[in-house]
Amino acid sequence: MDVNIVVNGCARTLACSPGETLLALLRREGFLSVRFGSGTGETGAAAVLLDGRIASADVLLAAQADGHQVTTVESLNLATGELHPIQQAFVDVGALQSGYSAGAMVLATLALLDRNPDPDEGEIRDALSGILDRETGYVKVVAAVRRAAALLRGERPDPVQPVLVEPLAGADPAEPDSVPDSVAGGGVPFALPRVVPSPDVAKTTVVGKPEPKVEALRLIKGNAAFTDDVQPRGMLHAKVLRSPHAHARIVAIDDTQARAMPGVHAVLHYGNTARVKYASGGQSWPNPHPWDQVSFDNKVRHIGDRVAAVAAETVQIAEEACRRIKVTYQVLPAVFDEIEALAEGAPGIHDEPDSVGIHDAARNISSHIEGRTVADMEAALAGADHVFEQTFHTHQVQHCAIEPHITIGWLDEDERLVLRTSTQVPFHIRRMVAPLLGLPVKRIRVIKPRIGGGFGAKQEMLIEDIVGHLVLATRRPVRLELTREEEFTSSRTRHKQTITFRTGVSRDGKLVAQDMKVIANTGAYGVHGFTVQSVTGLRGLSSYNCPAKRYQCDVVYTNWLVAGAMRGYGAPQGVFALESHMDDIARALRIDPVELRRRNWVGLGDSFDIAPRLGERGGVEDVAPEDLPRITSCGLDECVAQALRAIGWHRRADESWRRPPDRPSIRRGIGFALCVMGSGIPFVDMGAAWIKMNDDGSFNLMIGGTDLGTGADTVIAQIAAEVLGVAADDIIVYAADTDLTPFDVGAYASGTTYITGMAAKRAAEAARARIAVRAARMLGLDESEPIELRGHRAWAADGRSVSLAELALHVLHADDQEQILGTASYLARESPSPFAAQVAEVEVDVDTGQVTVVKLAAAVDCGVPINPLTASGQVEGGMLMALGYALCEELVLDDNGRPVNARLGPYWIFRADDAPATEVFLVQTMEPSGPFGAKAVGEIPTVGVTPAVRNAILDATGVAINATPFTPERVWLALNGRS
């Protein structure tokens, strides 16, 4: 059928099928800014303007647009390299992270400002409420709309610059009048990063500046950037048949009817696919045990587990073929609780003989972890004046990246397999998928385009092997994209944990012993189970000095959905238990909760004594004190002072504020949490870079690191630009193609800035050394004479200079020609710790149990923030994601193991109109091992919000809640003395 639509002002007659969505039609016609987020419209990623009003193209049939006007972001792209004022505003304030939903945000802004040229914040948030952003926390998006409105009104807003905040320098932040208003920002919009400068940090030209993202133009214009934006001709579509049972053995598969369908090209399952054991977690070689998965198994272990895969001419044919596969199941007893799974007589999840490295399959223990700093923990506890014991429970959540998992594979002209995939770990994917497909690594190329959010779910070989198998079986390009329901049931989740702390404390509030025990629910497979839970112990036992520490953990198989890597990687669970426990100890000892922590928290020069005992590749028991990792930079005192000031900590003592007379059911409270994380994995994580000089004095920088929307490409460009004396936009970044870029472990463990950034710095320094030699020759100087690069020129000590463009032409074309190159690798031998103080202000309705978070604030020591805009954006977005974990996100299973809320909406993530005020401070310290003093920032904001909210509820009501999330039901029951 034909439809007549005016698209971006141009009347068009387009052919479509009766059931085709407007999203599919527009993308087929090349309007790539309209993107898939779900089939039910909740994400808003597919937003367009229909007759000037925002609408979701993924739930509109193309036929419904007949006779209407449709506007996409491409309507604003009138000139090459130029931006519409709305687009420019989003770039200026750093409102882009992955940019996957940038087009939708721009259109919502366009529609709002057409109606109202000067909206207030409430109107802006309402206009954006239909577009979910999992990354930014909406702070900078709201600021972008305000800036765009000003630009369209003809105003000239001030340049976006960080607000420099004076250190508190010993002032008491608990006293409201002890610090001048300028310290807290003085009414400056929260979107502007607040930077607390350090005198130890040298002056720089590019580093430390709010540079726009190097990929901003392609993102804000909706240009082809993501996996699905490039599709080869003749492409087939894949679908996966999933298990309807939580635990069953496959007795037989009959694929006859599916194979007979016209348009079906391949049907794969355990009966025709090689059985090769692997672990799907994207981790360094050798992958941590257990290796308990195969591409297709004769047993399913959770609802949504793989059964078979189909490649067909259309998605609809592939779906129908899956329905026609006849599977005979022997349904087995299932177990979902990690404690019950350990009990005698519990169903055995992994009874196969060929899995490798399962700790105790008979008891459903995937991995066991132990680490200690003392031989006799019981004796250490016996020596304490007080011993406190508590048990905490954390729940399961999903990453909810707006771009789902998607892989497109094909055979290139040399019949090598190419996988274009949304992954955090392209080099790991290539190595891991090779044995499953029976191919050598050299016959595989993995390309990582732009990623629409990952958060750990894409640190996984989740679908690449399926696509590879189907490409080899059909010799055709194959595309597989997960549905939103599959993201919930068949992707990965955060580990559920049961955590018990026993803590010995002296009468003066000093920690004497910390004993931490965890039983973790890894679900059906042990992927990331060992390492996530190792980090739980590391972060649960690293924040405070204590002479005796012990960690014990069983990682337990169940028929729950598979857990894996998620932002924070075990730290949110461990720190929730630790920081809740510390608040309760302080209350029992009648000590201010911050003061108790202050008496114990780690500082400059202190060691992380538990760290070597809980390593990525297993712990080391005997470590000499001089070999322990030590803290080489720490701004924790300043972080705490800034956070307490920002939240108004002094109000805790004001009873009229705590119980407002005009709202008798409301109780107010403020909670605090301290966080310590790391920067990459020492002696495991490595990154590399190479850089070459172009004819005009610009540079191409090749890195294997992956930017998930974190701003990594921009930050690394800034590092290289600082070394080479050029602007950030003179560095053209190419990233994460296993054929063309050097090796990198990928984006996880908050290591990209620290590790890949250091590799880029060293590569740039190597190039700079050659430039200095050639500049000295051109200026008639001895090659040993000092040459400084700045302002796109090479300067001699006598004041003479040559431009980099002149030098480039000279060395490439005129005299003793050479290509100026720099190449470097960097292996992390340290993991310097970022620190954070996170605080929350809450209102609790004691009649209903509803918890409203009024404000979040965080002060983070991430060393020198290379780009304060991207760094503060990371903190804002991470805190809002963590707030969902604390309050409203929970993946719920029924008694049969089937998720009851496997879609957005019933699974609630925060929208623009219900996000709290958020204020971020970046506290500079000079980390000697980091590039220009930088440390990590990406994961730490997710760690402290949950305990801060829990402790705020405790402050407001006097009730301690030791299980997450803090839903109205759970809070109401706790307030009424029921669990």
Side-chain angles (χ1 to χ4, degrees):
M1 63 179 290
D2 290 340
V3 292
N4 297 297
I5 308 175
V6 178
V7 183
N8 297 334
C10 180
R12 305 183 64 169
T13 300
L14 303 171
C16 67
S17 61
E20 189 171 21
T21 64
L22 181 59
L23 168 66
L25 176 64
L26 290 171
R27 289 190 63 82
R28 193 175 73 241
E29 293 298 317
F31 299 100
L32 300 178
S33 67
V34 189
R35 297 197 165 100
F36 175 79
S38 70
T40 46
E42 296 92 351
T43 68
V48 297
L49 298 184
L50 188 69
D51 298 333
R53 300 185 64 179
I54 201 85
S56 289
D58 47 2
V59 292
L60 276 174
L61 294 178
Q64 290 177 288
D66 187 35
H68 294 275
Q69 295 190 36
V70 173
T71 304
T72 72
V73 160
E74 284 83 355
S75 67
L76 307 181
N77 300 343
L78 301 180
T80 300
E82 295 183 12
L83 298 178
H84 183 277
I86 295 176
Q87 296 170 318
Q88 188 66 57
F90 271 73
V91 173
D92 289 345
V93 304
L96 300 173
Q97 288 199 21
S98 81
Y100 190 75
S101 299
M105 293 283 190
V106 167
L107 289 176
T109 304
L110 179 64
L112 171 65
L113 298 184
D114 279 347
R115 300 191 308 269
N116 180 357
D118 191 14
D120 61 27
E121 181 165 342
E123 291 167 322
I124 293 170
R125 288 183 176 273
D126 180 66
L128 297 170
S129 63
I131 302 163
L132 297 179
D133 188 340
R134 191 60 157 165
E135 299 152 5
T136 68
Y138 304 104
V139 177
K140 290 179 170 53
V141 177
V142 171
V145 179
R146 284 185 156 169
R147 187 176 183 86
L151 290 169
L152 290 173
R153 292 194 303 266
E155 301 170 18
R156 294 186 177 181
D158 292 335
V160 175
Q161 293 292 337
V163 179
L164 296 182
V165 177
E166 296 175 13
L168 290 179
D172 185 356
E175 294 296 330
D177 297 324
S178 65
V179 185
D181 287 341
S182 61
V183 169
V188 174
F190 287 163
L192 294 179
R194 287 128 166 83
V195 176
V196 184
S198 166
D200 299 330
V201 177
K203 184 179 179 181
T204 50
T205 304
V206 185
V207 162
K209 303 302 187 288
E211 296 284 347
K213 283 199 164 190
V214 295
E215 70 277 28
L217 185 140
R218 82 182 82 143
L219 298 177
I220 203 64
K221 284 193 164 189
N223 294 343
F226 296 90
T227 297
D228 205 30
D229 293 343
V230 175
Q231 297 188 354
R233 287 176 292 181
M235 186 177 70
L236 302 176
H237 297 268
K239 296 300 289 186
V240 179
L241 177 64
R242 305 285 182 181
S243 171
H245 304 292
H247 198 195
R249 205 171 302 280
I250 299 174
V251 177
I253 288 184
D254 182 354
D255 60 11
T256 307
Q257 291 186 26
R259 289 183 176 277
M261 285 183 64
V264 171
H265 290 261
V267 180
L268 299 180
H269 46 74
Y270 82 90
N272 56 18
T273 305
R275 184 179 178 88
V276 180
K277 280 287 175 176
Y278 71 100
S280 62
Q283 298 175 273
S284 290
W285 180 88
N287 282 57
H289 290 150
W291 301 348
D292 55 6
Q293 298 165 262
V294 294
S295 288
F296 298 100
D297 207 345
N298 61 353
K299 188 180 184 185
V300 291
R301 298 175 177 86
H302 69 94
I303 286 178
D305 206 352
R306 299 176 178 186
V307 175
V310 173
E313 294 288 343
T314 68
V315 171
Q316 293 75 21
I317 294 173
E319 289 174 336
E320 179 58 31
C322 284
R323 286 189 286 268
R324 295 191 186 187
I325 298 171
K326 296 180 179 178
V327 184
T328 304
Y329 294 99
Q330 177 193 356
V331 178
L332 302 172
V335 60
F336 305 107
D337 180 80
E338 59 270 25
I339 308 298
E340 294 176 6
L342 287 171
E344 186 176 349
I349 311 301
H350 282 273
D351 52 0
E352 69 278 5
D354 56 344
S355 283
V356 179
I358 295 176
H359 177 74
D360 188 345
R363 297 183 58 222
N364 288 322
I365 300 176
S366 163
S367 302
H368 179 75
I369 307 163
E370 285 200 32
R372 66 185 70 209
T373 65
V374 64
D376 191 342
M377 174 53 67
E378 299 307 320
L381 286 167
D385 296 315
H386 307 277
V387 176
F388 300 91
E389 180 172 347
Q390 284 179 285
T391 296
F392 302 88
H393 302 275
T394 67
H395 67 295
Q396 187 177 45
V397 292
Q398 219 277 325
H399 310 70
C400 296
I402 304 304
E403 179 202 38
H405 285 80
I406 180 170
T407 300
I408 299 174
W410 65 89
L411 297 176
D412 69 9
E413 60 273 22
D414 295 314
E415 298 191 351
R416 296 172 70 233
L417 175 66
V418 180
L419 296 173
R420 178 180 168 95
T421 185
S422 184
T423 180
Q424 299 173 220
V425 285
F427 285 90
H428 290 340
I429 293 295
R430 180 180 64 168
R431 167 180 50 82
M432 291 161 56
V433 80
L436 274 64
L437 303 178
L439 293 176
V441 166
K442 67 183 179 181
R443 301 294 301 168
I444 302 171
R445 176 186 181 186
V446 177
I447 302 170
K448 188 262 347 160
R450 191 68 186 173
I451 304 173
F455 314 117
K458 294 174 182 175
Q459 191 197 336
E460 195 86 23
M461 187 174 67
L462 196 70
I463 59 175
E464 288 85 357
D465 62 314
I466 297 176
V467 171
H469 281 302
L470 290 170
V471 169
L472 297 178
T474 63
R475 297 183 56 79
R476 292 268 298 273
V478 175
R479 170 185 179 272
L480 175 57
E481 180 179 53
L482 296 191
T483 66
R484 184 56 57 184
E485 182 179 3
E486 285 178 306
E487 286 292 330
F488 281 108
T489 63
S490 307
S491 176
R492 297 294 181 255
T493 61
R494 195 182 291 285
H495 288 81
K496 296 173 60 181
Q497 292 182 356
T498 300
I499 308 169
T500 300
F501 260 107
R502 290 192 301 161
T503 300
V505 188
S506 69
R507 59 177 52 90
D508 61 352
K510 287 294 188 76
L511 298 183
V512 174
Q514 289 178 294
D515 189 22
M516 184 181 185
K517 183 174 183 179
V518 171
I519 301 175
N521 190 330
T522 192
Y525 300 101
V527 54
H528 290 284
F530 175 82
T531 45
V532 165
Q533 271 61 232
S534 294
V535 171
T536 296
L538 174 63
R539 297 306 160 204
L541 293 172
S542 291
S543 296
Y544 302 104
N545 288 311
C546 179
K549 299 176 183 177
R550 181 174 68 176
Y551 180 64
Q552 298 172 294
C553 176
D554 283 328
V555 185
V556 181
Y557 287 122
T558 69
N559 297 113
W560 201 272
L561 306 179
V562 184
M566 189 170 177
R567 191 176 185 180
Y569 207 78
Q573 301 97 308
V575 174
F576 162 65
L578 170 67
E579 289 299 287
S580 301
H581 191 48
M582 290 296 286
D583 245 51
D584 292 354
I585 292 172
R587 181 170 281 248
L589 297 178
R590 299 178 181 270
I591 301 174
D592 176 84
V594 175
E595 176 57 29
L596 176 70
R597 291 170 170 88
R598 193 187 310 276
R599 295 177 189 180
N600 294 282
W601 68 47
V602 294
L604 191 66
D606 287 336
S607 65
F608 290 124
D609 52 1
I610 197 66
R613 279 90 175 180
L614 298 172
E616 168 93 358
R617 292 172 174 167
V620 178
E621 283 299 320
D622 297 320
V623 185
E626 62 271 19
D627 294 331
L628 292 171
R630 294 192 177 273
I631 298 171
T632 50
S633 60
C634 180
L636 184 55
D637 286 359
E638 187 66 35
C639 287
V640 172
Q642 293 289 349
L644 297 187
R645 169 66 184 183
I647 206 69
W649 185 256
H650 63 280
R651 294 178 296 167
R652 286 167 52 106
D654 182 351
E655 196 62 26
S656 65
W657 174 80
R658 295 170 59 84
R659 302 183 66 154
D662 57 335
R663 302 170 68 194
S665 67
I666 296 300
R667 304 290 183 270
R668 291 176 174 149
I670 298 173
F672 172 90
L674 181 151
C675 315
V676 182
M677 290 292 282
S679 303
I681 306 170
F683 300 102
V684 174
D685 286 355
M686 187 273 281
W690 68 267
I691 192 166
K692 76 178 183 74
M693 192 177 197
N694 298 318
D695 304 63
D696 61 350
S698 66
F699 297 85
N700 287 7
L701 173 61
M702 315 291 282
I703 56 174
T706 58
D707 188 331
L708 313 182
T710 58
D713 288 355
T714 303
V715 163
I716 292 167
Q718 288 180 255
I719 290 169
E722 187 69 43
V723 172
L724 294 165
V726 298
D729 63 6
D730 289 313
I731 308 293
I732 304 162
V733 180
Y734 296 87
D737 179 327
T738 59
D739 267 15
L740 304 179
T741 62
F743 176 84
D744 194 288
V745 293
Y748 56 88
S750 289
T752 305
T753 296
Y754 181 70
I755 294 166
T756 311
M758 186 58 82
K761 182 174 184 285
R762 291 183 173 183
E765 288 168 344
R768 181 181 65 186
R770 287 305 304 161
I771 292 170
V773 168
R774 298 307 301 260
R777 289 186 198 172
M778 291 179 70
L779 294 170
L781 301 172
D782 186 90
E783 292 181 7
S784 63
E785 291 289 324
I787 297 290
E788 181 185 357
L789 303 188
R790 54 182 167 82
H792 300 80
R793 302 185 71 84
W795 294 85
D798 60 10
R800 292 182 300 137
S801 67
V802 60
S803 76
L804 295 188
E806 293 169 325
L807 186 147
L809 289 170
H810 184 78
V811 303
L812 286 170
H813 301 284
D815 178 48
D816 194 16
Q817 291 94 325
E818 68 171 297
Q819 172 66 68
I820 289 180
L821 287 169
T823 303
S825 301
Y826 183 73
L827 170 67
R829 289 177 168 81
E830 301 175 65
S831 180
S833 288
F835 297 86
Q838 293 184 279
V839 284
E841 175 188 338
V842 306
E843 293 183 348
V844 182
D845 189 323
V846 295
D847 289 344
T848 66
Q850 178 67 48
V851 177
T852 301
V853 174
V854 177
K855 182 179 179 180
L856 295 173
V860 180
D861 160 22
C862 57
V864 176
I866 303 296
N867 188 316
L869 268 184
T870 60
S872 59
Q874 284 284 284
V875 179
E876 292 156 2
M879 290 176 75
L880 192 63
M881 175 179 276
L883 187 61
Y885 183 52
L887 289 184
C888 57
E889 295 183 38
E890 183 175 19
L891 196 49
V892 179
L893 274 59
D894 66 17
D895 291 342
N896 296 314
R898 182 176 300 279
V900 300
N901 61 335
R903 57 175 286 186
L904 295 169
Y907 184 98
W908 189 265
I909 67 175
F910 275 95
R911 310 185 314 186
D913 60 345
D914 56 13
T918 304
E919 188 171 15
V920 172
F921 296 81
L922 302 174
V923 175
Q924 279 192 349
T925 59
M926 187 64 195
E927 169 51 48
S929 70
F932 294 102
K935 298 188 285 191
V937 73
E939 289 188 298
I940 197 166
T942 67
V943 174
V945 171
T946 301
V949 171
R950 183 267 189 191
N951 293 337
I953 296 170
L954 173 64
D955 179 51
T957 67
V959 174
I961 304 176
N962 295 341
T964 58
F966 311 124
T967 58
E969 179 184 20
R970 177 170 281 127
V971 173
W972 186 89
L973 289 171
L975 292 172
N976 288 275
R978 297 155 63 185
S979 61

